């Protein structure tokens, strides 16, 4: 695979502090319909970054483009100096991307442990050293899944299925974990447990996290930094505090009927 | 590669069952019935080979018997005595009419030839998915048949190829079937087998966790061809006389029915299906000939066996689309009944670890 020229990334910079996920000026359209327009963002080692935006903004499409599940029309995605956009999902995984899907995509006929082993097998092939250091039992335990290890994945309760998808992604020993609405359908207790588990794994694996969710409290609590995507464009970014107070975000986001909390402004 | 103890346990249970069938036939059956059991063992090896590909890749395979045919004819051409070839195969190309290899070379040679063909066909095959892949396998079966029929100098065409040394025994076939079960289980439950099954369930999700589906499919394809080539060699060395129609639709559908009825997603399913369909087939054959039963003479019913296979597949699919056994292996049966791993556990509350 081609090594990206360091000169073209504004933020690639001199090897300052290791792993980087850089999305620069990505455009993506589906048969003429432009879904992503000049999207640029970055995530550094160990950083937890949120991505919010109304339905149809293009958030999932962005994750699909980053993980090379779909090609981009222009722009590129670079991880640790390697271009991964327009390669293959396998190359993305090898380069350090682990992801979950908005509409849970587990291997339903396989057991919980086998679901995790599928990913771990790839990791053992692609980065044997890091992969060998992962203890699958610990990982399952951390996400409250030990008791289900021998269950068929398809028969798990909903919340556990979401957590299993994260464990499966972590078994790749990823540098960056991309989570598409991990808290969807979870109750408050499960959500706060999820926040702890994601933080812990981010520390343990030293991996950056890019997380999408509609639950603003979840995102604001979990993330160091947040991007707001609207109609395919990044309209704001910053700390949770900055984003919360950005007038454009308030207009687009709070103006969105689904998230309108009160009528007091 | 470490083999899980559960895999060994499950294989041992199935292996014991097969050994029991083989050895009781060896000890107690007359030659006629021993012959039936031998053919059953060959069919079982075919079904195991079919399971390796179909069960793990979820692609319906119509071409497997083509590999069997290639191997059978290859061993026939290599091992048949020169004395017989002088009259039966006088115009064989590449000077093959003057060659007579001992089985020690002829058998590996036949298997190698089959695997070389499988290699090139496989390169094309693994790129296809779904219906195109299935049609490609069917096309392969037809091509092999046409070649066997028309390369008269090498195969005697539609006429029987006779004089193949009769060297295979029921005990060999039984032993190979038992080993076959173990190999099929080891592949299915190996890291790569699990990755392959994951990719056939959800190719995109598997790709996202680094699974290289095409390579794994290729591995399954080659292993499957190995099973089929062994079955072809065994068959040829047992019956001594073969013809192209031995390796065509009839055997294709019989073995497909066995796998589908038993349940293609498990090796247990392959074994159970082979046994159940073979038993049913013997019963229908018996009835087909219009036997006397308790003083009543039944009419002869030609075509009853064909009808039986069709009916078994249709009803099997209608009432148990996952086959008799379902996707689980024998050793998983106990646990799943107790813990409720089945889909009905989906809505139940989870135990908190
Ligand atoms: N494969 C596809 N083909 C055509 N259009 C698509 C495809 N995938 C997504 N789209 C369109 O792209 C737009 C963005 O979709 P996307 O799923 O990325 O939004 P999202 O921000 O994830 O929304 P949500 O919050 O509802 O998940 C939508 O208008 C959607 O209809
Ligand atoms: Mg989405």
């Amino acid at each position: 695979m081609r090594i990206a020229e360091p000169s073209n990334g504004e933020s690639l910079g001199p090897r300052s502090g290791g792993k980087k996920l850089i999305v620069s000026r990505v455009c993506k359209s589906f048969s003429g319909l432009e879904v992503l327009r000049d999207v640029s963002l970055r995530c550094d080692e160990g950083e937890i970054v949120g991505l919010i935006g109304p339905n149809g903004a293009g958030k999932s499409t962005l994750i699909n483009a980053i993980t090379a599940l779909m090609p981009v029309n222009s722009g590129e995605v670079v991880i640790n100096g390697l271009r991964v956009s327009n390669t293959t999902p396998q190359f993305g995984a090898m380069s350090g991307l682990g992801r979950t899907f908005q509409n849970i995509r587990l291997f339903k006929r396989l057991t919980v442990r086998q679901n995790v082993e599928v990913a771990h097998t790839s990791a053992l092939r692609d980065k044997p050293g890091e992969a060998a250091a992962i203890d699958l039992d610990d990982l399952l335990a951390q996400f409250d899944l030990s008791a289900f290890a021998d269950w068929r994945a398809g028969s798990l309760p909903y919340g556990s299925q979401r957590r299993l998808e994260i464990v499966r992604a972590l078994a790749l020993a990823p540098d960056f974990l991309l989570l598409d609405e991990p808290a969807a359908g979870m109750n408050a207790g499960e959500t706060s447990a999820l926040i702890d588990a994601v933080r812990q794994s981010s520390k343990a694996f030293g991996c950056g996290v890019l997380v999408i969710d509609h639950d603003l409290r979840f995102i604001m609590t979990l993330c160091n930094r947040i991007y707001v995507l609207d109609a395919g464009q990044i309209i704001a970014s910053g700390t949770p505090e900055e984003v919360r107070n950005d007038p454009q975000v308030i207009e687009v986001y709070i103006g969105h009927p689904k998230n309108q909390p009160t009528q007091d402004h | 590669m470490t083999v899980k103890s559960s895999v060994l346990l499950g294989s041992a249970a199935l292996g014991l069952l097969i050994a029991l069938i083989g050895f009781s036939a060896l000890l107690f059956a007359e030659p006629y019935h021993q012959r039936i059991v031998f053919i059953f063992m060959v069919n079982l090896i075919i079904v195991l080979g079919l399971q390796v590909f179909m069960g793990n890749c979820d692609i319906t395979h119509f071409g497997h018997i083509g590999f069997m045919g290639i191997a059978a004819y290859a061993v026939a051409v290599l091992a048949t005595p020169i004395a017989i070839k002088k009259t039966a195969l006088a115009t064989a190309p590449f000077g093959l009419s003057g060659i007579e290899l001992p089985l020690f070379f002829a058998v590996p040679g036949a298997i190698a030839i089959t695997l070389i063909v499988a290699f090139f066909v496989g390169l094309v095959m693994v790129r296809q998915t779904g219906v195109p892949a299935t049609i490609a396998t069917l096309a392969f079966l037809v091509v092999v048949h046409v070649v066997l029929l028309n390369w008269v100098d090498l195969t005697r065409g539609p006429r029987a190829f006779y004089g193949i040394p009769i060297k295979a025994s029921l005990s060999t076939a039984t032993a190979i079937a038992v080993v076959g079960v173990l190999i099929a289980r080891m592949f299915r439950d190996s890291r790569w087998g699990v990755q392959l099954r994951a990719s056939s369930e959800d190719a995109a999700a598997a790709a996202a966790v680094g699974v290289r589906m095409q390579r794994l499919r290729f591995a399954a394809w080659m292993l499957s061809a190995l099973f089929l080539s062994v079955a072809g060699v065994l068959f040829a060395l047992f019956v001594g006389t073969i013809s192209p129609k031995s390796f065509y639709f009839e055997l294709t559908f019989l073995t497909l029915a066995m796998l589908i009825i038993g349940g293609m997603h498990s090796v247990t399913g392959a074994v159970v299906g082979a046994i159940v369909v073979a038993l049913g087939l013997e019963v229908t054959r018996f009835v087909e000939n219009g036997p006397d039963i308790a003083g009543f003479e039944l009419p002869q019913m030609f075509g009853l066996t064909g009808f039986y296979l069709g009916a078994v597949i249709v009803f099997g699919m209608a009432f148990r689309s996952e086959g008799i056994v379902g996707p689980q292996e024998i050793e998983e049966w106990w646990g799943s009944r107790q813990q409720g791993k089945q889909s009905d556990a989906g809505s139940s509350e989870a135990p908190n670890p």
Side-chain angles (χ1 to χ4, degrees):
Chain A
M1 292 297 136
R2 183 163 64 87
I3 307 287
E5 301 298 326
S7 56
N8 68 359
E10 357 89 64
S11 34
L12 241 174
R15 310 228 147 261
S16 58
K19 301 159 183 169
K20 283 181 175 50
L21 164 63
I22 296 164
V23 176
S24 45
R25 315 203 63 177
V26 161
C27 296
K28 168 74 190 167
S29 46
F30 292 110
S31 47
L33 172 75
E34 215 172 20
V35 174
L36 295 176
R37 255 181 282 173
D38 253 352
V39 173
S40 299
L41 59 78
R42 57 177 292 153
C43 180
D44 289 339
E45 183 166 348
E47 198 185 12
I48 302 184
V49 175
L51 180 62
I52 59 174
N55 291 109
K59 305 181 295 295
S60 298
T61 304
L62 181 58
I63 283 196
N64 289 339
I66 293 174
T67 54
L69 206 65
M70 296 171 174
V72 299
N73 297 87
S74 64
E76 64 179 3
V77 178
V78 175
I79 295 166
N80 308 334
L82 284 177
R83 180 179 62 83
V84 293
S85 46
N86 294 358
T87 61
T88 61
Q90 288 90 342
F91 184 73
M94 186 161 91
S95 315
L97 291 175
R99 68 166 291 175
T100 67
F101 294 85
Q102 182 171 351
N103 50 336
I104 307 172
R105 298 179 77 159
L106 291 170
F107 310 122
K108 295 200 177 69
R109 278 205 298 259
L110 301 182
T111 65
V112 166
R113 174 181 292 280
Q114 283 174 326
N115 266 270
V116 183
E117 279 171 355
V118 168
H120 196 226
T121 298
S122 303
L124 286 171
R125 176 197 66 206
D126 294 338
K127 34 184 135 170
E130 284 172 69
I134 300 178
D135 184 331
L136 298 188
D137 290 321
D138 282 357
L139 205 52
L140 286 169
Q142 205 178 336
F143 282 81
D144 254 12
L145 289 166
S146 304
F148 302 121
D150 294 325
W151 285 44
R152 306 226 157 238
S155 63
L156 283 183
Y158 186 81
S160 309
Q161 294 201 7
R162 284 235 174 264
R163 289 199 298 274
L164 174 54
E165 260 210 325
I166 301 176
V167 173
R168 183 177 68 182
L170 283 172
L172 284 168
D175 295 334
F176 294 95
L177 184 62
L178 315 181
L179 306 176
D180 198 343
E181 305 200 11
M186 286 190 179
N187 61 34
E190 286 179 306
T191 304
S192 72
L194 180 67
I195 291 178
D196 291 342
V198 170
R199 280 201 178 127
Q200 269 181 32
S201 350
S202 167
K203 276 216 189 70
F205 286 80
C207 67
V209 179
L210 178 64
V211 52
I212 298 175
D213 215 286
H214 286 293
D215 182 342
L216 289 187
R217 190 180 300 166
F218 168 71
I219 292 285
M220 299 279 173
T221 316
L222 178 62
C223 300
N224 316 117
R225 216 148 52 73
I226 295 171
Y227 289 92
V228 184
L229 191 67
D230 181 43
Q233 284 181 302
I234 300 283
I235 57 162
S237 67
T239 63
E241 204 54 34
E242 288 165 352
V243 165
R244 210 195 319 254
N245 298 322
D246 187 307
Q248 223 184 336
V249 175
I250 293 172
E251 190 187 320
V252 167
Y253 214 82
I254 313 292
H256 195 249
K258 195 177 156 190
N259 293 297
Q260 200 149 26
T262 51
Q263 301 289 65
D264 58 32
H265 59 279
Chain B
M1 188 171 68
T2 55
V3 184
K4 291 201 198 86
S5 55
S6 62
V7 172
L8 286 179
L9 201 72
S11 316
L14 294 174
L16 217 63
L17 178 65
I18 295 162
L20 205 69
I21 295 171
F23 286 110
S24 42
L26 273 172
L27 292 177
F28 307 116
E30 314 135 41
Y32 171 76
H33 288 118
Q34 284 196 359
R35 199 181 159 81
I36 290 176
V37 176
F38 183 94
I39 297 299
F40 163 77
M41 291 298 170
V42 170
N43 287 345
L44 177 57
I45 295 165
I46 297 171
V47 176
L48 288 170
L50 199 52
Q51 198 280 330
V52 166
F53 184 75
M54 264 179 70
N56 295 315
C57 304
D58 257 341
I59 297 172
T60 308
H61 191 356
F62 284 112
H64 58 295
I65 298 302
F67 291 123
M68 186 186 176
I70 293 172
Y73 270 90
V75 80
V77 169
L78 294 176
T80 299
I82 292 174
I84 295 174
K85 280 185 181 168
K86 278 225 168 65
T87 52
L89 215 61
T91 54
F94 320 121
L96 284 168
S97 54
I99 288 178
E100 176 187 341
L101 294 183
L103 289 187
F104 186 77
F105 295 110
V107 170
I111 291 172
I113 289 166
T114 313
L115 291 183
I116 289 168
V117 175
F119 181 88
F120 289 107
V121 178
L123 290 183
V124 183
M125 255 306 301
V126 294
R127 283 167 210 288
Q128 324 279 331
T129 48
V131 177
T134 298
I135 291 176
T137 63
L138 185 59
F140 172 71
L141 176 67
V142 174
V143 167
V144 170
H145 186 70
V146 167
V147 170
L148 292 183
L149 268 184
N150 292 291
W151 199 350
V152 177
D153 286 345
L154 188 67
T155 66
R156 293 178 46 82
R159 289 176 302 162
F161 192 126
Y162 60 89
I164 308 163
I166 295 178
K167 288 284 166 58
S169 67
L170 179 53
S171 47
T172 320
T174 306
I176 291 176
V178 171
V179 173
V181 165
L182 180 67
I183 293 176
R185 277 302 311 263
M186 278 169 59
F187 179 71
R188 179 185 182 274
D189 291 279
S190 69
R191 291 183 163 277
W192 301 282
V194 172
Q195 278 203 333
L196 179 56
R197 285 188 281 148
S199 72
S200 34
E201 245 191 88
D202 189 329
V209 290
V211 175
R212 294 172 182 169
M213 181 168 75
Q214 290 192 357
R215 291 181 196 202
L216 295 169
R217 270 200 187 154
F218 189 76
W221 174 262
M222 293 303 292
L223 182 58
S224 175
L226 175 64
F227 274 75
L228 268 302
S229 62
V230 170
V233 167
L234 264 181
F235 180 78
L237 295 181
F238 183 75
V239 295
T241 304
I242 57 177
S243 69
K245 71 175 189 323
S246 319
F247 311 105
Y248 211 33
F249 284 132
E250 211 183 309
L251 190 54
T252 300
F253 285 118
L254 173 68
T255 47
L256 263 172
M258 286 173 163
L259 181 62
I260 292 170
I261 293 308
M264 69 174 197
H265 288 122
S266 63
V267 176
T268 309
V271 174
V272 169
I275 293 174
V276 167
V277 173
L279 284 176
L281 198 63
E282 287 315 311
V283 173
T284 18
R285 279 217 184 100
F286 176 72
V287 175
E288 192 176 44
N289 293 329
D292 286 349
I293 295 178
F296 294 101
E297 192 182 323
L298 293 177
Q300 285 202 340
M301 289 178 277
F302 291 118
L304 191 65
T305 49
F307 176 79
Y308 160 75
L309 281 184
V312 151
I313 292 184
V314 169
F315 283 105
M317 292 294 90
F319 296 112
R320 263 199 92 96
S321 58
E322 269 287 355
I324 297 171
V325 168
Q328 304 201 359
E329 296 289 2
I330 190 164
E331 80 276 2
E332 294 172 317
W333 289 358
W334 331 114
S336 68
R337 293 283 173 270
Q338 287 158 10
Q339 291 179 23
K341 282 179 212 162
Q342 305 283 344
S343 48
D344 60 312
S347 51
S348 73
E349 220 29 66
N352 234 340

